Coordinates of all heavy atoms in Angstrom, one line a residue:
P1 N 19.8 -3.8 -8.8 CA 20.7 -3.5 -7.7 C 20.7 -4.5 -6.5 O 19.7 -5.2 -6.3 CB 20.3 -2.1 -7.2 CG 19.3 -1.6 -8.2 CD 18.7 -2.8 -8.8
R2 N 21.7 -4.6 -5.8 CA 21.7 -5.2 -4.5 C 22.1 -4.2 -3.5 O 23.1 -3.5 -3.6 CB 22.7 -6.4 -4.5 CG 22.7 -7.2 -3.2 CD 23.6 -8.4 -3.2 NE 25.0 -8.0 -3.3 CZ 25.8 -8.2 -4.3 NH1 25.3 -8.8 -5.4 NH2 27.0 -7.8 -4.3
F3 N 21.3 -4.1 -2.4 CA 21.5 -3.0 -1.5 C 21.8 -3.6 -0.1 O 20.9 -4.3 0.5 CB 20.2 -2.1 -1.4 CG 20.3 -1.0 -0.4 CD1 21.1 0.1 -0.6 CD2 19.5 -1.1 0.8 CE1 21.2 1.1 0.4 CE2 19.5 -0.1 1.7 CZ 20.4 1.0 1.5
R4 N 23.0 -3.4 0.4 CA 23.4 -3.8 1.7 C 23.2 -5.3 1.9 O 22.7 -5.8 2.9 CB 22.7 -3.1 2.8 CG 23.1 -1.6 2.8 CD 22.5 -0.8 4.0 NE 22.9 0.6 3.9 CZ 22.4 1.5 4.7 NH1 21.6 1.2 5.7 NH2 22.8 2.8 4.6
G5 N 23.5 -6.1 0.8 CA 23.4 -7.5 0.8 C 22.0 -8.0 0.7 O 21.8 -9.3 0.6
G6 N 21.0 -7.2 0.5 CA 19.6 -7.6 0.4 C 19.0 -8.0 1.7 O 18.0 -8.7 1.8
G7 N 19.4 -7.4 2.8 CA 18.9 -7.6 4.1 C 17.4 -7.2 4.3 O 16.6 -7.8 5.0
I8 N 17.1 -6.0 3.6 CA 15.7 -5.5 3.7 C 15.1 -5.3 2.3 O 14.0 -5.8 2.1 CB 15.7 -4.2 4.5 CG1 16.1 -4.4 6.0 CG2 14.3 -3.5 4.4 CD1 16.1 -3.1 6.8
V9 N 15.9 -4.7 1.4 CA 15.4 -4.4 0.1 C 16.0 -5.3 -0.9 O 17.2 -5.5 -0.9 CB 15.7 -2.9 -0.3 CG1 15.2 -2.6 -1.7 CG2 15.1 -2.0 0.8
R10 N 15.1 -5.9 -1.8 CA 15.6 -6.8 -2.9 C 14.9 -6.4 -4.1 O 13.7 -6.0 -4.1 CB 15.4 -8.2 -2.5 CG 16.3 -8.7 -1.4 CD 16.4 -10.2 -1.3 NE 17.2 -10.6 -0.2 CZ 17.6 -11.9 0.1 NH1 17.1 -12.9 -0.6 NH2 18.3 -12.1 1.2
F11 N 15.6 -6.6 -5.2 CA 15.1 -6.3 -6.6 C 14.9 -7.6 -7.4 O 15.7 -8.5 -7.2 CB 16.0 -5.4 -7.3 CG 16.0 -4.0 -6.7 CD1 16.7 -3.7 -5.6 CD2 15.3 -2.9 -7.4 CE1 16.8 -2.4 -5.1 CE2 15.3 -1.7 -6.8 CZ 16.1 -1.4 -5.7
G12 N 13.9 -7.6 -8.2 CA 13.7 -8.7 -9.1 C 13.1 -8.2 -10.4 O 12.6 -7.1 -10.5
N13 N 13.2 -9.1 -11.4 CA 12.5 -8.8 -12.7 C 11.9 -10.1 -13.3 O 11.7 -11.0 -12.6 CB 13.6 -8.2 -13.7 CG 14.8 -9.1 -13.9 OD1 14.7 -10.3 -13.7 ND2 15.9 -8.4 -14.2
Q14 N 11.6 -10.1 -14.6 CA 11.0 -11.3 -15.2 C 11.9 -12.5 -15.2 O 11.4 -13.6 -15.5 CB 10.5 -10.9 -16.6 CG 11.6 -10.7 -17.6 CD 12.0 -9.2 -17.7 OE1 12.3 -8.6 -16.7 NE2 12.0 -8.7 -18.9
F15 N 13.2 -12.3 -14.9 CA 14.1 -13.4 -14.8 C 14.5 -13.8 -13.4 O 15.4 -14.6 -13.2 CB 15.4 -13.1 -15.6 CG 15.1 -12.7 -17.0 CD1 15.1 -11.3 -17.4 CD2 14.7 -13.6 -18.0 CE1 14.8 -11.0 -18.7 CE2 14.5 -13.3 -19.3 CZ 14.5 -11.9 -19.7
G16 N 13.8 -13.3 -12.4 CA 14.1 -13.6 -11.0 C 14.9 -12.5 -10.3 O 14.9 -11.3 -10.7
G17 N 15.7 -12.9 -9.3 CA 16.6 -11.9 -8.7 C 16.4 -11.8 -7.2 O 17.3 -11.3 -6.5
Y18 N 15.3 -12.3 -6.7 CA 15.0 -12.2 -5.2 C 15.9 -13.1 -4.4 O 15.9 -12.9 -3.1 CB 13.5 -12.4 -5.0 CG 12.6 -11.4 -5.7 CD1 11.9 -11.8 -6.8 CD2 12.6 -10.1 -5.3 CE1 11.1 -11.0 -7.5 CE2 11.8 -9.2 -6.0 CZ 11.0 -9.7 -7.1 OH 10.3 -8.8 -7.8
D19 N 16.5 -14.0 -5.0 CA 17.4 -15.0 -4.2 C 18.8 -14.6 -4.3 O 19.7 -15.3 -3.9 CB 17.2 -16.4 -4.7 CG 17.6 -16.5 -6.2 OD1 17.7 -15.4 -6.9 OD2 17.7 -17.6 -6.7
K20 N 19.1 -13.3 -4.7 CA 20.5 -12.9 -4.9 C 21.1 -12.2 -3.7 O 22.2 -11.7 -3.7 CB 20.6 -11.9 -6.1 CG 20.1 -12.5 -7.4 CD 20.8 -13.7 -7.9 CE 20.3 -14.1 -9.2 NZ 21.1 -15.4 -9.7
G21 N 20.4 -12.2 -2.6 CA 20.9 -11.6 -1.4 C 22.1 -12.4 -0.8 O 22.2 -13.6 -0.9
T22 N 23.0 -11.6 -0.2 CA 24.2 -12.2 0.5 C 24.0 -12.4 2.0 O 24.9 -12.9 2.6 CB 25.5 -11.4 0.2 OG1 25.3 -10.1 0.7 CG2 25.8 -11.4 -1.3
V23 N 22.9 -11.8 2.5 CA 22.6 -11.9 3.9 C 21.1 -12.3 3.9 O 20.3 -12.1 3.0 CB 22.8 -10.6 4.7 CG1 24.2 -10.2 4.6 CG2 21.9 -9.5 4.1
P24 N 20.6 -12.9 5.0 CA 19.2 -13.4 5.1 C 18.3 -12.2 5.0 O 18.6 -11.1 5.4 CB 19.1 -14.0 6.5 CG 20.5 -14.4 6.9 CD 21.4 -13.4 6.2
W25 N 17.1 -12.4 4.4 CA 16.1 -11.4 4.2 C 15.3 -11.3 5.5 O 14.9 -12.3 6.1 CB 15.2 -11.8 3.1 CG 14.5 -10.6 2.4 CD1 14.6 -9.3 2.7 CD2 13.7 -10.7 1.2 NE1 13.9 -8.5 1.9 CE2 13.3 -9.3 0.9 CE3 13.2 -11.7 0.4 CZ2 12.5 -9.0 -0.2 CZ3 12.4 -11.4 -0.7 CH2 12.1 -10.0 -1.0
S26 N 15.2 -10.1 6.0 CA 14.6 -9.8 7.3 C 13.1 -10.1 7.3 O 12.5 -10.3 6.2 CB 14.9 -8.4 7.8 OG 14.2 -7.5 6.9
H27 N 12.5 -10.0 8.5 CA 11.0 -10.2 8.5 C 10.3 -9.0 7.9 O 9.2 -9.2 7.3 CB 10.6 -10.3 10.0 CG 11.1 -11.6 10.7 ND1 10.7 -12.8 10.3 CD2 12.0 -11.8 11.7 CE1 11.3 -13.8 11.0 NE2 12.1 -13.1 11.9
F28 N 10.9 -7.8 8.0 CA 10.3 -6.7 7.3 C 11.0 -6.6 5.9 O 12.2 -6.5 5.9 CB 10.6 -5.4 8.1 CG 10.1 -4.2 7.3 CD1 8.8 -3.9 7.1 CD2 11.1 -3.3 6.8 CE1 8.4 -2.7 6.4 CE2 10.7 -2.2 6.1 CZ 9.4 -1.9 5.9
R29 N 10.2 -6.7 4.9 CA 10.8 -6.8 3.5 C 10.2 -5.8 2.5 O 9.0 -5.6 2.6 CB 10.6 -8.3 3.0 CG 11.1 -9.4 3.9 CD 10.8 -10.7 3.3 NE 11.5 -11.8 4.0 CZ 11.5 -13.0 3.6 NH1 10.9 -13.4 2.5 NH2 12.2 -13.9 4.3
I30 N 11.1 -5.3 1.7 CA 10.6 -4.5 0.6 C 11.1 -5.2 -0.7 O 12.3 -5.4 -0.9 CB 11.2 -3.1 0.7 CG1 10.5 -2.4 1.9 CG2 10.8 -2.3 -0.6 CD1 11.1 -1.0 2.1
A31 N 10.2 -5.4 -1.6 CA 10.6 -6.0 -2.9 C 10.2 -5.1 -4.0 O 9.1 -4.5 -4.1 CB 9.9 -7.4 -3.1
Y32 N 11.1 -4.9 -5.0 CA 10.9 -4.1 -6.2 C 10.8 -5.1 -7.3 O 11.7 -5.9 -7.5 CB 12.0 -3.1 -6.4 CG 11.9 -1.9 -5.5 CD1 12.7 -1.7 -4.4 CD2 11.0 -0.8 -5.8 CE1 12.7 -0.6 -3.6 CE2 10.9 0.3 -5.0 CZ 11.7 0.4 -3.9 OH 11.7 1.5 -3.2
L33 N 9.8 -4.9 -8.2 CA 9.7 -5.6 -9.4 C 9.8 -4.6 -10.5 O 9.0 -3.7 -10.7 CB 8.3 -6.4 -9.5 CG 8.0 -7.0 -10.8 CD1 9.0 -8.1 -11.2 CD2 6.6 -7.7 -10.7
Q34 N 10.9 -4.8 -11.3 CA 11.1 -3.8 -12.4 C 11.8 -4.5 -13.6 O 12.7 -5.3 -13.4 CB 12.0 -2.7 -11.9 CG 13.3 -3.1 -11.3 CD 14.1 -2.0 -10.7 OE1 13.5 -1.2 -9.9 NE2 15.4 -1.9 -11.0
H35 N 11.4 -4.1 -14.8 CA 12.1 -4.6 -16.0 C 13.2 -3.6 -16.3 O 13.0 -2.4 -16.2 CB 11.1 -4.7 -17.1 CG 10.0 -5.7 -16.9 ND1 8.7 -5.6 -17.4 CD2 9.9 -6.9 -16.2 CE1 8.0 -6.6 -17.1 NE2 8.7 -7.4 -16.3
A36 N 14.3 -4.2 -16.8 CA 15.4 -3.3 -17.3 C 14.9 -2.4 -18.4 O 15.6 -1.4 -18.7 CB 16.6 -4.2 -17.7
S37 N 13.9 -2.8 -19.1 CA 13.4 -2.1 -20.3 C 12.2 -1.2 -20.0 O 11.6 -0.6 -20.9 CB 13.0 -3.1 -21.4 OG 12.0 -4.0 -20.9
D38 N 12.0 -0.9 -18.7 CA 10.8 -0.1 -18.3 C 11.3 1.4 -18.3 O 12.0 1.8 -17.4 CB 10.4 -0.5 -16.9 CG 9.1 0.2 -16.5 OD1 8.7 1.2 -17.1 OD2 8.4 -0.3 -15.5
P39 N 10.7 2.2 -19.2 CA 11.1 3.6 -19.2 C 10.5 4.4 -18.1 O 11.1 5.5 -17.8 CB 10.6 4.1 -20.6 CG 9.5 3.2 -20.9 CD 9.8 1.9 -20.3
I40 N 9.4 4.0 -17.5 CA 8.8 4.7 -16.4 C 9.8 4.7 -15.2 O 10.0 5.6 -14.5 CB 7.5 4.1 -16.0 CG1 6.5 4.1 -17.1 CG2 7.0 4.8 -14.7 CD1 6.1 5.5 -17.5
V41 N 10.6 3.6 -15.1 CA 11.5 3.4 -14.0 C 12.8 4.1 -14.4 O 13.4 4.8 -13.5 CB 11.8 1.9 -13.8 CG1 12.9 1.7 -12.7 CG2 10.5 1.2 -13.4
F42 N 13.3 4.0 -15.6 CA 14.7 4.4 -15.9 C 14.8 5.6 -16.7 O 15.9 6.0 -17.1 CB 15.4 3.2 -16.6 CG 15.6 2.0 -15.7 CD1 14.9 0.9 -15.9 CD2 16.5 2.1 -14.7 CE1 15.0 -0.2 -15.0 CE2 16.7 1.0 -13.8 CZ 15.9 -0.2 -14.0
F43 N 13.7 6.3 -16.9 CA 13.9 7.7 -17.5 C 14.5 8.6 -16.4 O 14.3 8.4 -15.2 CB 12.5 8.3 -17.8 CG 12.6 9.7 -18.2 CD1 12.9 10.1 -19.5 CD2 12.3 10.7 -17.2 CE1 13.0 11.5 -19.8 CE2 12.4 12.1 -17.6 CZ 12.7 12.4 -18.9
E44 N 15.4 9.5 -16.8 CA 15.9 10.5 -15.9 C 16.2 11.7 -16.7 O 16.8 11.7 -17.8 CB 17.2 10.0 -15.2 CG 18.3 9.5 -16.1 CD 19.5 9.0 -15.3 OE1 19.4 7.8 -14.9 OE2 20.4 9.7 -15.2
P45 N 15.8 12.9 -16.2 CA 16.1 14.2 -16.9 C 17.6 14.4 -17.1 O 17.9 15.1 -18.1 CB 15.5 15.2 -15.9 CG 14.5 14.5 -15.1 CD 15.0 13.1 -14.9

């Protein structure tokens, strides 16, 4: 995902993704590292 242009939260995987923001990344940053094939992340009841 991209959330609000990537100003605070950005997502990446084994192929990158942290440079996909449309706005500058703030000094306070949250980065998620997740594979699209990770069932721990993408399981849902």
Side-chain angles (χ1 to χ4, degrees):
R2 184 177 64 249
F3 178 70
R4 297 183 181 179
I8 294 178
V9 180
R10 293 194 181 184
F11 290 79
N13 55 27
Q14 66 270 52
F15 304 103
Y18 300 106
D19 58 347
K20 303 299 183 183
T22 59
V23 298
W25 208 354
S26 67
H27 294 295
F28 174 72
R29 302 177 171 188
I30 295 176
Y32 283 102
L33 173 58
Q34 59 186 43
H35 297 149
S37 55
D38 189 342
I40 300 294
V41 178
F42 292 108
F43 172 83
E44 56 181 80

